[in-house]
Amino acid sequence: MDTMGDGTRAVRAGLPEPEQYEPTLPGPVLAAHFHLSGDPTGPYTYGRDTNPTWTHLERAIGELEAPGEPVETVVFASGMAAISAVLLSRARTGDVVVLPDDGYQLLPLVREQLEAYGVEVRTAPTGGDAQLAALRGAALLWIETPSNPGLDVCDVRRLVEAAHAAGTLVAVDNTLATPLGQRPLELGADFSVASDTKGMTGHGDVLLGHVTCRDPGLAAGLRRWRKVVGAIPGPMEAWLAHRSLATLELRIDRQCANALALAEALAGRRGVTGLRHPGLPGDPSYPVAVRQMRRFGSVVSFVLPDRERAERFLAELRLADDATSFGGVRSTAERRARWGGDAVPEGFIRFSVGAENAKDLVGDVERALDVALGVD
């Protein structure tokens, strides 16, 4: 295994060999077609199929997902495009697919689509490795760990071992952790999937997703799906994502440290219940997370007494925007129940911790809580 540090790898991942008078990272290739005479056997033929800017980014992500190992990455126009590519390209009529029932908000819509195609979908919670009980006869197991927004963690190795013994492929949604926090392929998964809109790019200005796998046949199937449905990223988005990877370790380390500081500050505070962060030693997810995660993520969740006080808290924040999404350098927070798709209380707050100074951010949160909860 490659022993290069995460920061060094992130800075140099996917760069082409140095060429005199050429940029270190070539700019985005904006091309629908390429010069192409004779048989179409070259690497770049048409803009929906391949693009040099995608190639650099896919190599970079592969180097982060499985350092020093031969893997293939396929980038997509969004995280949902990546998720859909795995689930909808693999499942066939009569197959069984196992999903978490506490995962990303749009998974129920994916379930509806799978069922419309004649696929049986079973669901179980992430925590306690509950999906094990639904594996019999399954073609694909979909894991999301830590789960969004509940932050439960399951034992990936245990689930993979049981799934593979039953002939089941395993995909892990690694969006919240990023490859710097957790490497699903090292834990045995067949697919590592992420919305790179979140922590991977980290600036809230790019929609992107990816899937990485070791099996070239699985990767070929994903590329075929991408070509057929046209779920391709724009070259500019791919270039911006690659540029952003250079600061990945710097951003993730600061954000994870800040998240733990915030979680520690909230622990035991009157009026705050249901506090979750996988890096807190007292968190239910901690015993499993500490065995398989290298960093614990930038998201903290907690519950305020009701909708009114949750919204007042959000309105009082000065250093966190009331916005959806997570993983960015600027803190965001939202009352998650406003979307109606998650089984959470009305006062549930998902807080995405950014790269601000921890003292400033924690102070801002504590002040906003004092106002919202009526603390003198």
Side-chain angles (χ1 to χ4, degrees):
M1 182 181 297
D2 193 330
T3 58
M4 187 182 295
D6 286 340
T8 304
R9 186 178 298 109
V11 167
R12 305 205 61 82
L15 297 180
E17 289 298 318
E19 188 173 339
Q20 189 76 344
Y21 309 121
E22 292 295 322
T24 304
L25 176 61
V29 176
L30 304 170
H33 60 265
F34 302 83
H35 290 294
L36 185 65
S37 59
D39 293 332
T41 56
Y44 305 109
T45 58
Y46 185 64
R48 190 183 62 249
D49 299 340
T50 51
N51 181 288
T53 310
W54 303 350
T55 299
H56 294 313
L57 176 61
E58 289 173 341
R59 289 173 179 167
I61 293 174
E63 290 175 27
L64 297 172
E65 287 277 11
E69 298 184 31
V71 296
E72 296 193 26
T73 295
V74 185
V75 291
F76 291 89
S78 68
M80 277 308 302
I83 290 169
S84 299
V86 176
L87 288 166
L88 298 178
S89 73
R90 296 299 310 174
R92 301 289 184 269
T93 299
D95 281 351
V96 174
V97 170
V98 180
L99 301 178
D101 64 11
D102 54 352
Y104 181 51
Q105 186 187 52
L106 290 188
L107 280 181
L109 296 182
V110 178
R111 174 180 184 169
E112 291 178 10
Q113 192 62 60
L114 287 167
E115 290 176 336
Y117 291 153
V119 176
E120 178 186 344
V121 179
R122 302 173 188 158
T123 63
T126 298
D129 301 338
Q131 290 173 293
L132 284 171
L135 280 179
R136 182 183 297 274
L140 179 67
L141 167 65
W142 186 272
I143 296 170
E144 185 179 306
T145 182
S147 62
N148 170 32
L151 302 181
D152 277 319
V153 170
C154 60
D155 188 332
V156 176
R157 291 185 183 89
R158 182 186 182 201
L159 285 163
V160 166
E161 182 179 352
H164 284 175
T168 305
L169 292 173
V170 180
V172 176
D173 185 333
N174 199 42
T175 300
L176 198 144
T178 81
L180 267 61
Q182 182 173 261
R183 293 184 180 139
L185 299 184
E186 288 185 1
L187 299 173
D190 301 288
F191 303 93
S192 179
V193 188
S195 169
D196 301 319
T197 307
K198 312 299 194 299
M200 284 287 277
T201 56
H203 291 80
D205 54 8
V206 172
L207 288 173
L208 204 77
H210 82 267
V211 184
T212 302
C213 46
R214 286 195 173 91
D215 186 334
L218 295 179
L222 294 170
R223 289 196 181 92
R224 182 180 185 277
W225 176 265
R226 181 178 67 181
K227 176 179 179 177
V228 169
V229 301
I232 61 172
M236 180 59 75
E237 285 78 4
W239 183 84
L240 286 169
H242 196 168
R243 180 208 61 173
S244 298
L245 289 181
T247 60
L248 181 60
E249 186 196 44
L250 298 173
R251 291 185 281 107
I252 295 298
D253 277 352
R254 177 65 167 261
Q255 290 172 246
C256 289
N258 282 356
L260 183 58
L262 177 60
E264 290 171 342
L266 293 173
R269 184 183 171 103
R270 184 168 61 87
V272 175
T273 59
L275 175 66
R276 298 299 304 272
H277 179 64
L280 273 178
D283 189 276
S285 291
Y286 182 82
V288 176
V290 77
R291 295 199 303 269
Q292 69 187 25
M293 298 184 72
R294 300 159 60 237
R295 295 170 175 86
F296 298 105
S298 61
V299 177
V300 176
S301 67
F302 54 95
V303 180
L304 297 182
D306 51 43
R307 172 176 179 164
E308 179 182 359
R309 279 175 278 194
E311 291 185 346
R312 188 173 183 188
F313 163 72
L314 293 170
E316 287 292 331
L317 289 170
R318 296 170 183 163
L319 297 181
D321 298 324
D322 189 343
T324 196
S325 199
F326 58 86
V329 291
R330 290 175 288 277
S331 291
T332 61
E334 70 171 334
R335 192 180 66 83
R336 191 64 187 167
R338 65 181 175 174
W339 297 100
D342 297 307
V344 295
E346 286 294 325
F348 183 97
I349 301 294
R350 185 182 70 180
F351 202 111
S352 172
V353 183
E356 299 88 357
N357 289 108
K359 180 180 179 182
D360 296 335
L361 184 62
V362 170
D364 186 48
V365 170
E366 291 183 328
R367 179 196 54 77
L369 284 172
D370 287 346
V371 174
L373 300 174
V375 178
D376 295 327

